[in-house]
Amino acid sequence: MRADPRALRFGAAITTLVLASVLVTESFWLLAAQAVVFALGAHRRSPYAMLFKAFVRSDPTETEDARPPRFAQGVGLAFAVVGLIGFATGITPLALGATAAALLAAFLNAAFGFCLGCETYLLIRRLLPAANMEVSK
């Protein structure tokens, strides 16, 4: 499956705004909503990408493998869950730290087109030959 990099950056920009809002408001529910978006994105149903496709009618001039961005969505989900645990248990520094880490990754993608989770996925694939075998089956 292929992904439109424009939609990925658009999604990262919205994610950046949402996560920055979480840091300002310390909103458990806003972070929970973003966690749902991460979960859907990890399973090929990113609401932000669907929103992008609804408004941008032009075909992409290039596409990329969708597996690294899906992995990145899973990493974002993991950070969001840690943040939610922090909020739920009253450990606010944990919640804000996890949210800030996810915000940094989203910002790097939105502003510079550098997907930290994607690069992590590629590094894991290079370091673990067995992972390459499992994916190719």
Side-chain angles (χ1 to χ4, degrees):
M1 182 169 187
R2 307 295 294 172
D4 182 346
R6 301 172 304 165
L8 298 173
R9 286 186 77 178
F10 175 80
I14 295 175
T15 300
T16 297
L17 294 174
V18 170
L19 293 176
S21 298
V22 170
L23 289 179
V24 170
T25 64
E26 297 184 9
S27 171
F28 173 91
W29 297 109
L30 190 55
L31 184 57
Q34 182 59 49
V36 170
V37 170
F38 281 139
L40 292 170
H43 293 287
R44 302 181 187 178
R45 300 195 194 294
S46 171
Y48 300 153
M50 287 189 266
L51 183 64
F52 178 84
K53 289 176 188 173
F55 289 106
V56 176
R57 300 287 183 196
S58 64
D59 290 330
T61 56
E62 61 184 67
T63 60
E64 62 184 59
D65 184 1
R67 290 175 295 179
R70 283 198 325 261
F71 176 83
Q73 292 290 299
V75 172
L77 174 60
F79 277 96
V81 167
V82 170
L84 290 170
I85 291 169
F87 280 133
T89 59
I91 307 172
T92 306
L94 175 64
L96 297 179
T99 302
L103 171 61
L104 175 64
F107 175 76
L108 287 173
N109 194 357
F112 305 109
F114 180 79
C115 177
L116 191 57
C118 301
E119 294 300 323
T120 302
Y121 173 87
L122 296 172
L123 179 64
I124 291 169
R125 293 277 314 264
R126 281 189 290 255
L127 293 176
L128 299 175
N132 290 327
M133 302 272 297
E134 291 296 321
V135 171
S136 63
K137 287 184 181 180

